[in-house]
Amino acid sequence: MKKTKTGIKHGNKRKPRLRSSRNGDRFAEVTARLAEIGKGFYARGWVLGTSGNFSAVLSREPLRLAITSTGLDKGSLTPAQFLEMDEQANVVRGEGRPSAEALLHPAIVRGVDAGAVLHTHSVWSTVLSGTHAAHGGIALEGFEMLKGLEGVRTHKHREWLPILENSQDMVELADRVTALLRESPGIHGFLLQGHGLYTWGVGLREAKRHIEILEFLMEVLVRSGAAQAS
Ligand SMILES: [Zn+2]
C-alpha cells in the first residue's frame, strides 16, 4: 500500500519534468539529424561557403521550428548550432540568429503542411535557374529517379520545378512563395534564380530524399547539355 502511494506520488511529481524532457529530446533528436544531413550536403558540394539552411517542425500550434543559425560552415555543423524559432523567425531557444531566409521556412511549412524544409545552393541549381529563367521553371520528365519524389509512380511523370526571381526582401519573397505553393499544388520544390533549391517533406527523411533526387536530376540536365554541346 505504502509502495503504491509512493509510486503514484512520484508519478505525479515527475510528470511535468517528463514532458519538458520529451520536448528537449525532440529538439536534440531533430538537430542531431539536421546536423548530419547538413554535413552530408556539404560533402556533396551543395552548401559551400556557409550557404543553405535546414529546418524541421518541432510543434505546429504554436509553430516552432528547429533551424540553422546564420553564417555556419555546414561542413562542421553541430546540434548546438541550431535554434528554435517561432513563425516570425524570433528565437525562442539557442544562441545566434536565424538567416535572413528563415522566413521562407514557415511560409513553406504552412503552404504545403511540411514537416521539414531543406535549402541548397548547388552549381546545378545556380546554372539551371539562370538558363531556364525565361521559361519560369524547368520540366523534369522521363527519368527513373523522378520516382524518388513523393507520390510519383512512373518515369513518365512530368515534374515542374518553378523558378522565382531572387530577392533580399524576405517578407516580399515569403509572400511570393506562399502564392506559388497555393497556385502550384503537387510541386516538390522550387528554385530561386541564381541562388538555389528549396524542397520539403512530411519529415526529414522525405525532405532529404527530395534534395538528393532534385539535385541529381539538375546535375543530369546540366551535364547532358554540356555533353550535347561538345
Ligand atoms: Zn539561400
Side-chain angles (χ1 to χ4, degrees):
M1 193 68 172
K2 205 178 172 185
K3 255 188 173 176
T4 310
K5 269 187 181 171
T6 312
I8 289 167
K9 223 177 169 184
H10 270 199
N12 286 343
K13 266 190 178 172
R14 283 210 307 262
K15 213 173 176 184
R17 238 183 300 155
L18 281 173
R19 195 178 295 128
S20 96
S21 144
R22 270 198 297 272
N23 284 344
D25 287 351
R26 167 87 181 138
F27 185 77
E29 181 192 318
V30 160
T31 55
R33 186 81 183 106
L34 283 166
E36 184 191 326
I37 287 170
K39 284 191 283 190
F41 288 179
Y42 179 87
R44 301 298 304 269
W46 297 336
V47 286
L48 298 177
T50 76
S51 67
N53 42 63
F54 320 120
S55 74
V57 172
L58 295 168
S59 70
R60 291 193 183 268
E61 298 297 340
L63 186 62
R64 295 282 186 268
L65 301 179
I67 191 164
T68 30
S69 62
T70 190
L72 299 175
D73 178 348
K74 304 301 189 296
S76 56
L77 269 185
T78 66
Q81 293 171 317
F82 284 82
L83 308 168
E84 180 175 340
M85 71 170 206
D86 67 13
E87 194 153 4
Q88 285 74 43
N90 299 308
V91 176
V92 296
R93 185 202 308 231
E95 301 292 325
R97 60 187 173 84
S99 102
E101 282 178 65
L103 278 176
L104 301 190
H105 290 243
I108 294 168
V109 166
R110 290 292 192 205
V112 292
D113 208 18
V117 178
L118 300 174
H119 169 51
T120 48
H121 288 205
S122 68
V123 169
W124 322 111
S125 63
T126 305
V127 170
L128 288 176
S129 66
T131 55
H132 289 66
H135 304 294
I138 300 164
L140 301 164
E141 194 172 8
F143 298 108
E144 183 69 14
M145 281 289 261
L146 283 165
K147 288 160 63 182
L149 299 175
E150 192 56 30
V152 175
R153 300 279 174 264
T154 168
H155 65 284
K156 291 178 180 167
H157 170 78
R158 184 177 192 271
E159 178 73 18
W160 181 246
L161 191 58
I163 301 170
L164 292 180
E165 192 182 330
N166 197 25
S167 174
Q168 302 304 321
D169 180 344
M170 290 304 147
V171 174
E172 181 269 340
L173 185 53
D175 285 347
R176 277 195 283 132
V177 166
T178 299
L180 172 74
L181 297 175
R182 198 172 47 233
E183 291 155 12
S184 314
I187 60 170
H188 293 84
F190 61 86
L191 298 177
L192 296 179
Q193 191 181 344
H195 179 161
L197 167 70
Y198 272 89
T199 187
W200 50 83
V202 290
L204 273 171
R205 188 192 301 245
E206 188 178 295
K208 174 177 178 277
R209 195 176 80 231
H210 286 169
I211 285 279
E212 290 175 352
I213 295 290
L214 293 171
E215 289 291 1
F216 175 96
L217 292 172
M218 287 191 291
E219 183 171 350
V220 166
L221 287 194
V222 174
R223 288 184 184 273
S224 301
Q228 280 164 11
S230 63

